[in-house]
Amino acid sequence: MDCAAPDIHLTYWLTSDLPEEPPATALDVLSPCERSRCERLLFGRDRRDFAAAHALLRAALSATANRPRSEWTFEAGRFGKPHLAPAIAAHTPISFNLTHTHGLVACAVVKQADVDVGIDVEATERHEDLSELAGEFFSIAEAVEILHLAGDDRERRFYETWTLKEAFIKALGDGLSHPLNSFCFRFDRCGTLRLELSDMVEAATWQFALLDVIGQYRLSLAVRDRSPVARRVVVCEATSVDARIAPSASLLRASPRLVVSTRGPLDRVARRHSRSPR
Ligand SMILES: CC(C)(COP(=O)(O)OP(=O)(O)OC[C@H]1O[C@@H](n2cnc3c(N)ncnc32)[C@H](O)[C@@H]1OP(=O)(O)O)[C@@H](O)C(=O)NCCC(=O)NCCS
């Protein structure tokens, strides 16, 4: 592909089959501060997912730039978005973001400093009040569209919209200081995604990808990229901190300038997960 912009590496790890305590290989690379945050979590599965997410991010950063996993240090922005500590960022231009929910952790990493990346995952659980939640948090157009859908379609669209909105907020780094109903996602009939903002020039700088993971999760990526060049997103599935296989995730939608590859690092690896999609 003739594409000058560095790839975005999106890696996820399905953790629900792991024992409900942090894998030793994950704990080993965490900083003292990460370990103490991990230990303070009440439930074993939360400690497992926290350690897995942070070790996965460290492994992805080390695959992008030549630095041992345990030697990455981070600082947080005004609303909590982590970035590389200035001493490292000065000579290692990287943007990244991290997400975790029960049973799935993921990160996105790109070797470029001036792009904003956000990632969010949610389990598509049954919930009685989806329309109410959409009315409370989404734009009017998004909430109306969800109201017009029935059953599983309504549920799916709710989580798709939710993760896209969260990924956008996370790329901005503003947290909930950014009103969630001040922007709107459109699911175009041609299979693409469109962000509506009051500033159309700004809206045009944003690209999104939406993935299904084993029929049980929706995973969204948001990228603010001022370059008009197409960019590749390489999706990988981790089976441990070190091992990667071809992903079982499938692409649902993407903006025109994101070229999403779900072939993974090894073309001939059998797909591992056979759980039936919902
Ligand atoms: C932190 C926040 C940005 C997202 O939180 P979340 O969806 O619960 O959590 P995720 O697992 O996706 O992401 C957490 C990770 O994002 C990163 N993060 C923290 N603050 C962030 C920020 N302001 N911007 C971007 N990333 C942030 C951290 O790496 C964090 O991981 P850690 O806590 O293990 O260090 C926050 O805005 C929030 O609580 N959102 C919930 C909003 C909501 O109710 N939305 C309604 C529907 S749209």
Side-chain angles (χ1 to χ4, degrees):
M1 185 183 156
D2 180 22
C3 175
D7 291 345
I8 296 172
H9 293 273
L10 192 168
T11 313
Y12 68 89
W13 185 1
L14 287 156
T15 55
S16 59
D17 293 339
L18 301 177
E20 287 201 356
E21 281 301 332
T25 47
L27 272 184
D28 283 351
V29 296
L30 302 194
S31 67
C33 170
E34 283 169 321
R35 253 178 257 157
S36 105
R37 282 186 68 199
C38 183
E39 280 161 16
R40 287 201 299 270
L41 295 169
L42 208 54
F43 299 106
R45 67 177 188 179
D46 293 336
R47 290 192 290 276
R48 170 198 68 199
D49 289 345
F50 179 95
H54 286 258
L56 190 72
L57 172 66
R58 285 172 173 277
L61 291 170
S62 292
T64 307
N66 188 20
R67 173 176 286 270
R69 291 172 191 184
S70 56
E71 289 182 16
W72 294 100
T73 52
F74 306 95
E75 286 185 6
R78 186 166 161 227
F79 296 100
K81 183 172 183 176
H83 54 81
L84 293 180
I88 299 177
H91 50 83
T92 315
I94 293 184
S95 305
F96 66 88
N97 197 223
L98 170 71
T99 185
H100 36 80
T101 191
H102 291 146
L104 194 154
V105 308
C107 65
V109 172
V110 57
K111 197 173 184 178
Q112 189 178 336
D114 60 347
V115 286
D116 297 307
V117 178
I119 186 170
D120 190 60
V121 67
E122 297 290 338
T124 53
E125 289 158 349
R126 296 248 139 77
H127 199 300
E128 280 172 16
D129 307 321
L130 293 184
S131 305
E132 242 171 75
L133 285 171
E136 193 174 337
F137 291 114
F138 294 179
S139 71
I140 292 173
E142 288 165 338
V144 166
E145 192 156 341
I146 283 167
L147 206 61
H148 283 136
L149 293 168
D152 287 353
D153 288 341
R154 174 180 289 185
E155 210 167 81
R156 284 190 205 107
R157 178 57 59 86
F158 175 85
Y159 286 108
E160 287 163 2
T161 308
W162 178 297
T163 56
L164 285 164
K165 288 177 92 69
E166 283 278 314
F168 175 65
I169 290 282
K170 292 183 73 186
L172 286 170
D174 294 347
L176 294 179
S177 71
H178 198 101
L180 290 166
N181 57 6
S182 65
F183 57 96
C184 176
F185 281 94
R186 292 294 195 176
F187 291 70
D188 292 334
R189 282 175 199 276
C190 56
T192 62
L193 287 164
R194 193 159 42 86
L195 171 66
E196 285 181 355
L197 291 177
S198 50
D199 180 343
M200 284 166 66
V201 176
E202 167 68 8
T205 64
W206 284 91
Q207 307 293 305
F208 301 90
L210 171 64
L211 292 121
D212 165 274
V213 187
I214 62 168
Q216 294 174 18
Y217 300 93
R218 289 294 186 265
L219 178 60
S220 287
L221 172 75
V223 187
R224 176 160 55 183
D225 187 355
R226 300 201 183 274
S227 148
V229 179
R231 186 187 291 272
R232 193 167 61 161
V233 180
V234 180
V235 183
C236 272
E237 180 170 329
T239 53
S240 71
V241 178
D242 292 301
R244 305 284 177 270
I245 60 170
S248 44
S250 53
L251 178 67
L252 297 173
R253 283 169 183 264
S255 310
R257 291 211 314 270
L258 281 189
V259 181
V260 181
S261 161
T262 52
R263 282 197 351 197
L266 306 167
D267 288 340
R268 289 184 300 277
V269 175
R271 283 166 199 259
R272 186 184 60 144
H273 297 278
S274 54
R275 288 175 237 187
S276 56
R278 276 184 46 211

